[in-house]
Amino acid sequence: MIKIQLPDGSIREVPKGTSALDIANSISPRLAAAVVVARVRSLEPAPATNNEAALEASEEAMYSSHAPGSAAARIVDLNMPLTEDVALELLKENDPAALKVVRHSAAHVMATAILELFPETKLGHGPATDNGFFYDVYRDVPFTELDLAAIEGRMAEVVRRDEPFVRVEESRDKGLTDYAAQGEFMKIHFIERFTKPGDEISLYKNGGFTDFCRGPHVPSTGRVKAFKVMSIAGAYWLGDEKNQQLQRIYGTAFFNAKDLDAHFKHLEEIKARDHRVLGKQLDLFSIQEVAGAGLIFWHPKGGLIRKTMEDWMRDECVRRGYNLVYTPHIMRRELWKISGHEGFYSENMYPPMELDDAEYRLKPMNCPGHILIYKNSPKSYRDLPARYAELGNVYRYERSGTMHGLLRVRGFTQDDAHIFCTPEQVVSEIEACLDFAEAVLKTFGFKEYRVELSTRDPNKAGEFVGTEEDWASAEGALTGVLSGRGLSFQSFPGEAAFYGPKIDIKLVDVLGRLWQLSTVQFDFNLPRRFELEYIGEDGARHQPVMVHRALFGSVERFFGVLIEHYAGAFPMWLAPVQVGLVPISEKHLEYAHSVKARLEAAGLRVELDTSNNKMQGKIRDFGLQKIPFILIMGDKESATDSVSVRVRAKGDEGSVTVEAFLERVKKLVGEHSMEL
RNA sequence: GCUGAUGUAGCUCAGUGGUAGAGCACUCCCUUGGUAAGGGAGAGGUCAUGGGUUCAAGCCCCAUCAUCAGCUCCA
């Protein structure tokens, strides 16, 4: 007999070999029908997990469905015989872990369908993802959309057959031999990678289909109730572009049709906030084929928002002790050789232009320009810290398939600054950068963010420049500042730039998506390459510490994220048109013009609709443009020097005097208020 | 760069080898109204670009460019 502890704390004694499904059935048949999978936790004290194993497990989990679960708690098949005392949790159709199991099982159903229709296909792996699942397969002939439809149809049949998922264990050698006979080269790779000689390997069978898989699965294919084959894409074998390309077939699955529908609705919502869609609808920016990919045209309304962002940023820089500088867009190739870009960044740079005096290259970064300004005159410790800031346009050659709206472009503007300081000043400078970064996020309406610290991988010292001591002190400074501020952060060893460690701030938008924007980085490399120095208090020459920092990251990318964050409904201070004026009839036009003049005199951005459309139509048009305030003016208003106020997303608020309205909105603008 | 899909009016899209279409937007006319679409008329296209097949190509074939979904990359 073994002891099974249920979530309410009660303990049942059952014969060894009893399954979770048996227990569910003993509680109630309805529970047994609703439960998908079980989570068990050993009642013995959990053995200390060793770090290396945990690391390997996470690596496996990245591209394998064979990763072992944690020793403490693991998800198991409902019909797996329980052989020791465990705490048992029956997961029903409301549990995220259960959904993953459903999706992974859906991947097996899809593989079953694919092999039935296209037996020549070789299988890679088929994990669940955040939004569904995929299966990587290899076949000489690409699958067409018709094939995908056929696969989906056959999946429905496999589900209807309601084949039980049966776990089978067999010797590794037999598995390898069988797969070799079938030419399943990818399965062989996975077995060799994830199991050791002498291990038993686990297979899951449903009907005539068998897959090397560690599970768990739903009890039978009939439990995959709501699914859809989504799309097909190329994916490199083992994620390496030097390897052959596989066909990755994406699908998604949910517990029921309602959830599946909700998922598609959610996809539509995301599409409606897509900055590329809104950029067109609100006439903010464009990308033009005739000009080239990844190059942004800022239209008047987008330009106005950009100006507001830039004005704020420049003012704030000045207020915080930065000096604004400007540097050229093209510079001699010689400079890029000194900086090292010519060597290690060349792939991302536009090729040299040959002029009569020398070769020139477009700048991919602003650092060398700022360094030349620093170097132009001797510096004393009294001159430090020197903080040079620039909204610098840089051009980087991105590979053709990688551009994405405003978020990944070939020409963009960095709010870039470089701080040259003494080692003693570093901590307070980093502090100030983080303060500034927080101010940016807060001002533009982002409440949540995550902090990441990227450090050197000591095992790969050769890939990083700078001495042991440099790195130790720089990483210590960054860590110290972060903990000193009480910020929780995640460390990423090995993720540092080759020239120094960095802090990245990722903001979380309204949909919970993460965006990498702000970055604060140490640089041991450039000060040395350019032989930067300052005269210290001791009269000797010293090398300054250099800190790179960008807060918007790129103005283009930040704008793109901003559009999606607000779904185009910008707060008052950023809205390109702040007030829309609607005269009810032609005879109110004169009054409308006078109101417009008064609002504009107060610095507001106002649009007056003088068309002969109906007032309802004018309201609709302004509404679609997501203008914060619409003012309606008819007989009543013109007689009392007032306006009828309609607020975005709130509606009609009745009439107030022009003075009172002005008072209200000037406050909203001045305070950068998120509300209206 | 790789795999697949897409490219028709300013926008969203229909058009399976035989005269280039719709709705919205735009211009003009009528309508002058009380909180998200009044009515009518008109104008607008090198069907991404370049080749090819065909008596005939938006449609079939090839190449190129761009976009989209992924992959890879992203100081």
Side-chain angles (χ1 to χ4, degrees):
Chain A
M1 297 296 271
I2 52 173
K3 288 196 183 75
I4 305 294
Q5 184 181 46
L6 296 175
D8 63 4
S10 67
I11 293 198
R12 293 185 175 217
E13 291 227 7
V14 297
K16 200 167 175 175
T18 301
S19 73
L21 191 60
D22 295 335
I23 292 166
N25 256 316
S26 76
I27 297 171
S28 105
R30 276 178 59 192
L31 175 63
V35 71
V36 177
V37 75
R39 180 184 283 134
V40 297
R41 186 177 291 108
S42 174
L43 286 178
E44 302 297 317
T49 49
N50 104 23
N51 242 353
E52 209 174 319
L55 199 74
E56 204 183 332
S58 70
E59 194 188 330
E60 281 180 22
M62 280 175 68
Y63 59 91
S64 164
S65 47
H66 312 124
S70 93
R74 59 206 169 94
I75 311 280
V76 300
D77 296 327
L78 284 181
N79 48 22
M80 177 189 234
L82 300 170
T83 55
E84 53 175 14
D85 297 352
V86 290
L88 173 73
E89 207 182 328
L90 297 166
L91 304 184
K92 291 188 292 190
E93 299 189 350
N94 52 8
D95 191 290
L99 183 56
K100 283 224 148 190
V101 172
V102 167
R103 286 174 172 168
H104 177 54
S105 297
H108 277 231
V109 170
M110 186 165 79
T112 308
I114 292 170
L115 286 186
E116 286 180 11
L117 294 168
F118 308 97
E120 69 281 14
T121 310
K122 303 301 171 211
L123 297 181
H125 68 145
T129 65
D130 288 345
N131 293 313
F133 62 89
F134 64 78
Y135 217 111
D136 278 347
V137 302
Y138 178 78
R139 180 175 176 248
D140 287 333
V141 189
F143 289 107
T144 64
E145 263 169 40
L146 281 176
D147 293 339
L148 294 192
I151 289 168
E152 188 174 285
R154 181 58 69 101
M155 284 174 72
E157 215 175 300
V158 176
V159 169
R160 218 174 302 124
R161 297 201 297 250
D162 197 18
E163 300 162 351
F165 280 104
V166 181
R167 182 187 175 98
V168 180
E169 305 216 337
E170 65 177 33
S171 79
R172 185 176 186 264
D173 288 344
K174 177 165 183 343
L176 287 173
T177 315
D178 289 352
Y179 276 132
Q182 295 164 29
E184 290 280 5
F185 63 100
M186 293 180 284
K187 290 296 175 194
I188 292 173
H189 172 91
F190 287 130
I191 293 177
E192 285 177 343
R193 184 182 163 107
F194 297 125
T195 65
K196 295 187 291 295
D199 284 356
E200 289 271 292
I201 63 168
S202 66
L203 303 171
Y204 275 80
K205 299 193 177 194
N206 60 285
F209 174 67
T210 303
D211 202 356
F212 167 60
C213 173
R214 66 174 301 280
H217 280 285
V218 296
S220 65
T221 59
R223 300 296 288 269
V224 179
K225 292 177 197 153
F227 63 90
K228 177 120 187 83
V229 175
M230 302 288 286
S231 60
I232 185 160
Y236 298 105
W237 169 231
L238 301 178
D240 188 334
E241 68 180 321
K242 287 193 272 305
N243 288 339
Q244 63 186 303
Q245 198 159 32
L246 308 174
Q247 301 189 61
R248 175 168 294 179
I249 304 178
Y250 282 90
T252 191
F254 287 87
F255 292 121
N256 53 55
K258 207 174 124 211
D259 289 358
L260 184 65
D261 280 355
H263 174 68
F264 285 112
K265 290 221 174 68
H266 179 64
L267 290 182
E268 272 170 40
E269 274 168 38
I270 288 177
K271 171 100 171 137
R273 316 177 78 94
D274 188 310
H275 72 280
R276 293 165 299 183
V277 173
L278 288 167
K280 234 178 232 172
Q281 272 169 19
L282 305 180
D283 199 14
L284 301 174
F285 71 92
S286 62
I287 297 166
Q288 317 243 0
E289 187 174 341
V290 68
L295 302 170
I296 307 299
F297 289 79
W298 294 74
H299 294 196
K301 285 177 182 166
L304 220 143
I305 297 173
R306 175 171 176 158
K307 179 197 179 290
T308 311
M309 290 166 61
E310 292 190 354
D311 285 352
W312 181 86
M313 182 54 86
R314 286 206 180 89
D315 290 349
E316 203 64 17
C317 278
V318 170
R319 210 171 68 72
R320 291 170 187 263
Y322 287 78
N323 301 295
L324 299 180
V325 299
Y326 297 84
T327 60
H329 290 190
I330 58 170
M331 290 177 264
R332 281 189 178 174
R333 195 172 182 178
E334 203 50 39
L335 176 70
W336 304 112
K337 285 183 181 158
I338 298 173
S339 71
H341 290 85
E342 184 76 27
F344 61 77
Y345 203 67
S346 210
E347 265 182 21
N348 285 294
M349 289 175 72
Y350 281 87
M353 288 174 250
E354 221 166 303
L355 303 185
D356 43 10
D357 61 331
E359 287 179 302
Y360 287 76
R361 293 191 90 158
L362 225 33
K363 71 171 167 184
M365 294 185 194
N366 302 301
C367 341
H370 293 183
I371 285 173
L372 292 184
I373 295 174
Y374 179 90
K375 223 174 131 66
N376 190 52
S377 62
K379 293 285 181 294
S380 141
Y381 69 95
R382 294 172 192 277
D383 298 320
L384 305 186
R387 309 184 190 95
Y388 298 148
E390 173 176 17
L391 289 162
N393 299 113
V394 296
Y395 290 87
R396 297 180 184 176
Y397 177 76
E398 298 286 354
R399 294 210 277 174
S400 61
T402 57
M403 265 79 72
H404 183 93
L406 292 171
L407 303 180
R408 183 89 180 262
V409 295
R410 283 182 174 159
F412 59 100
T413 310
Q414 291 182 305
D415 66 314
D416 207 358
H418 296 89
I419 299 167
F420 304 90
C421 62
T422 68
E424 296 74 40
Q425 292 166 333
V426 163
V427 168
S428 63
E429 288 305 310
I430 304 273
E431 288 271 2
C433 286
L434 292 181
D435 276 341
F436 200 165
E438 282 178 6
V440 171
L441 295 176
K442 190 162 165 263
T443 303
F444 287 88
F446 298 100
K447 295 190 177 72
E448 271 185 81
Y449 57 91
R450 263 190 231 173
V451 181
E452 297 182 353
L453 175 66
S454 299
T455 57
R456 186 177 71 145
D457 181 349
N459 298 320
K460 293 182 183 165
E463 294 178 16
F464 300 90
V465 307
T467 63
E468 271 316 301
E469 298 82 66
D470 282 345
W471 281 86
S473 78
E475 291 178 3
L478 293 180
T479 313
V481 171
L482 289 176
S483 0
R485 297 170 74 88
L487 284 172
S488 65
F489 61 93
Q490 232 182 323
S491 283
F492 292 90
E495 289 297 304
F498 78 91
Y499 51 72
K502 60 177 181 171
I503 295 174
D504 288 330
I505 296 181
K506 296 193 171 177
L507 64 79
V508 183
D509 75 5
V510 276
L511 297 182
R513 297 172 300 183
L514 236 51
W515 299 96
Q516 150 81 62
L517 297 165
S518 307
T519 182
V520 180
Q521 316 184 345
F522 259 82
D523 191 336
F524 306 126
N525 182 48
L526 288 176
R528 198 158 297 154
R529 279 178 168 269
F530 280 92
E531 300 174 325
L532 299 186
E533 52 188 34
Y534 66 93
I535 309 295
E537 224 170 331
D538 56 2
R541 295 163 189 277
H542 299 275
Q543 192 168 83
V545 175
M546 182 173 171
V547 176
H548 303 247
R549 141 273 83 143
L551 304 181
F552 286 149
S554 112
V555 175
E556 284 75 6
R557 177 178 286 191
F558 195 85
F559 182 42
V561 173
L562 215 51
I563 294 170
E564 304 210 356
H565 184 63
Y566 289 118
F570 295 102
M572 192 63 176
W573 73 291
L574 288 170
V577 178
Q578 296 164 317
V579 185
L581 299 185
V582 175
I584 287 178
S585 82
E586 221 165 48
K587 54 182 196 246
H588 310 113
L589 250 182
E590 197 188 329
Y591 176 63
H593 271 114
S594 79
V595 172
K596 179 169 189 261
R598 282 162 72 187
L599 298 182
E600 282 177 340
L604 291 172
R605 301 186 283 267
V606 187
E607 212 169 275
L608 168 60
D609 190 340
T610 59
S611 74
N612 60 357
N613 288 335
K614 283 187 74 164
M615 157 207 157
Q616 285 86 343
K618 296 180 188 183
I619 290 172
R620 177 173 185 272
D621 289 346
F622 280 137
L624 289 175
Q625 288 297 303
K626 312 204 180 202
I627 293 172
F629 290 96
I630 299 173
L631 302 183
I632 292 107
M633 287 156 289
D635 289 336
K636 264 191 300 182
E637 287 76 17
S638 47
T640 55
D641 193 37
S642 58
V643 289
S644 173
V645 181
R646 188 187 166 95
V647 186
R648 183 178 64 203
K650 289 182 183 164
D652 187 4
E653 291 194 349
S655 293
V656 296
T657 64
V658 176
E659 273 322 303
F661 175 73
L662 261 178
E663 198 78 3
R664 172 181 183 181
V665 297
K666 270 157 72 176
K667 190 155 174 274
L668 292 179
V669 174
E671 291 173 353
H672 297 173
S673 166
M674 296 299 141
E675 307 296 324
L676 294 180

